[in-house]
Amino acid sequence: MAVKLGKTQTFSREINTELVLNLLRNKPCSGTEIAHELLLSHATASSIIKQLLEINVIKIDETKSICGLGRKRVLYVLNPNYSLILGINISNLHASISLMDFSQKIIATTDLQIEKYSKSTIYDLALVSSKLLIENNKNNVPVKSVVIALPGRVNQKTGELVLSSQFDKELFSESHFIQKTFEKLFKDATVTLENDNNIMTYGEIYNGALKDVTNGVYFNIDYGVGGGIVLNKQIFLGDMGFAGEFGLIKHYDGKVYDHIDEFISLRALREKAREIVGHKVSRDELFELYNSNEEVRNLVLESAKVVGNALVQIGDVYDINKFVLSGRAMNFGKDYIDQIIKSSSGLINQPEIIVSKIGKQAEVLGTISLAIEILFEEIKRKIQE
């Protein structure tokens, strides 16, 4: 019985520590407030606070007198100097690098264009990331988490990036090449690779429209089509981490039976618009043609119907109560979005369908959110040692 009780106490301690960390992630709190909001005893709250202070995970934010009396009210916050976080978001031959602290404050960012996804590109990204850190780390705070968002599938069992047509094959000639490259430069850090759509889903869960949503879907229509599934307030990744590849849903337009990516992505629409106007169409020109060329406009609005039908399939299978639409396809505007909503009217439970308010910001916010989660797991393990 003693061994069993010990395990229960350890598990309870771990859960309570996570609750305290998540509470302080959102706002400064006193020990009394922590105990009250989390329904913990004052002794348990005080014990956890003491441990977190000892390993510099949290700090005293301020001490205030209560009603001008001698008694003090001490507020605790996450310690920004516990760790720095590097978030690297790669998509559409572009990369943004963000340096953040443990309190989720963005310290510095930089952007660069990418000619192709190759080994030399990864080396360049690592060196630019290192330079950004050197120039903006006056307090010599260690980087303990690096999160890299990629436009490809990341195997959750092995951590490896699965071969994608967007990447040079040489990038896959050495196992875990991307991870190893960043680990060499940031020796104290846990390096995590994740699919870019999963990262944006994390951003919506913690800072956007999927916050506090029980079952929802993030549906991104851009150069490609993807997204993320939230079930019971947790992102559902699937067995290998490949869930949310909505572009693989099949559609028949009366002539062709293919993945919806070939009907609704900006890449596919540009190719079809080219057939209409007789020359190569850029992304910006596609939006111009939507407003000036009736045939292109009809093409785009037909693609919106395909999106709506896809939402019906997803919603009825997973019993979703909220869809969040995102990606540059939303720039087509109100008629396009209205057509999606109208075409999804066959959904059984009539979920809410909205456009993301944070848009591309979801990438950076998602890397912060995932990095914080990873650090919290490491902190919980450290406390149990």
Side-chain angles (χ1 to χ4, degrees), residues 5-250:
L5 178 60
K7 285 184 177 180
T8 303
Q9 288 176 333
T10 300
F11 177 73
S12 176
R13 181 79 171 184
E14 201 172 310
I15 294 297
N16 289 336
T17 299
E18 183 172 6
L19 290 172
V20 171
L21 288 170
N22 276 308
L23 183 60
L24 295 179
R25 178 181 185 175
N26 294 315
K27 62 180 181 178
C29 285
S30 67
T32 301
E33 288 168 337
I34 290 171
H36 176 73
E37 291 201 30
L38 301 179
L39 302 178
L40 300 175
S41 69
H42 287 283
T44 298
S46 296
S47 176
I48 292 172
I49 290 168
K50 181 182 177 183
Q51 278 192 298
L52 294 176
L53 284 169
E54 286 174 352
I55 59 177
N56 296 315
V57 171
I58 65 173
K59 68 169 190 170
I60 295 174
D61 182 45
E62 57 182 331
T63 305
K64 291 182 177 179
S65 294
I66 301 176
C67 302
L69 302 176
R71 191 178 167 198
K72 301 289 185 180
R73 177 174 178 262
V74 179
L75 295 178
Y76 301 99
V77 293
L78 295 182
N79 182 3
N81 291 328
Y82 172 73
S83 169
L84 291 182
I85 295 164
L86 264 173
I88 300 161
N89 299 88
I90 305 171
S91 62
N92 302 314
L93 297 177
H94 170 266
S96 63
I97 304 170
S98 303
L99 182 66
M100 301 153 276
D101 66 26
F102 191 55
S103 69
Q104 305 173 80
K105 176 185 176 183
I106 298 174
I107 300 169
T109 61
T110 189
D111 293 270
L112 61 156
Q113 295 300 314
I114 297 172
E115 290 187 9
K116 60 180 180 178
Y117 299 124
S118 62
K119 279 190 172 183
S120 61
T121 297
I122 300 304
Y123 285 130
D124 288 344
L125 284 171
L127 291 173
V128 172
S129 300
S130 180
K131 183 181 178 184
L132 188 72
L133 174 65
I134 292 168
E135 292 174 348
N136 297 279
N137 190 14
K138 296 176 182 178
N139 296 327
N140 293 317
V141 180
V143 173
K144 294 184 180 180
S145 184
V146 176
V147 175
I148 305 172
L150 296 151
R153 299 179 180 186
V154 179
N155 189 318
Q156 294 292 320
K157 290 187 175 181
T158 66
E160 289 186 278
L161 180 66
V162 178
L163 183 61
S164 166
S165 59
Q166 299 179 68
F167 298 96
D168 279 5
K169 289 185 178 180
E170 67 153 3
L171 196 55
F172 299 85
S173 60
E174 181 184 341
S175 180
H176 296 283
F177 170 75
I178 299 175
Q179 194 165 347
K180 288 176 181 176
T181 300
F182 279 85
E183 285 174 345
K184 287 175 184 176
L185 273 178
F186 306 101
K187 299 185 185 300
D188 296 325
T190 299
V191 179
T192 305
L193 272 58
E194 186 53 272
N195 172 266
D196 55 352
N197 280 297
N198 285 340
I199 286 291
M200 288 186 277
T201 305
Y202 278 113
E204 292 288 348
I205 290 172
Y206 286 98
N207 301 94
L210 291 175
K211 191 171 185 178
D212 300 322
V213 170
T214 303
N215 300 305
V217 159
Y218 173 77
F219 199 103
N220 188 52
I221 311 168
D222 208 284
Y223 184 80
V225 178
I229 304 169
V230 177
L231 298 177
N232 294 322
K233 297 189 177 181
Q234 299 288 327
I235 185 168
F236 174 73
L237 299 174
D239 188 48
M240 304 288 284
F242 302 157
E245 292 288 345
F246 300 130
L248 298 179
I249 294 172
K250 292 292 188 71

Side-chain angles (χ1 to χ4, degrees), residues 355-366:
V355 175
S356 169
K357 291 183 179 179
I358 59 176
K360 287 287 287 181
Q361 274 187 298
E363 290 183 341
V364 175
L365 296 171

Side-chain angles (χ1 to χ4, degrees), residues 261-276:
D261 191 284
E262 300 302 322
F263 297 96
I264 69 173
S265 69
L266 294 184
R267 173 191 57 77
L269 291 174
R270 284 172 58 189
E271 290 173 1
K272 293 178 185 296
R274 178 180 183 174
E275 296 173 8
I276 294 171

Side-chain angles (χ1 to χ4, degrees), residues 308-309 312 339-351 353:
N309 291 333
V312 170
Q339 185 65 265
I340 292 175
I341 295 172
K342 181 180 177 182
S343 300
S344 61
S345 60
L347 279 160
I348 294 171
N349 67 350
Q350 290 300 303
I353 301 174

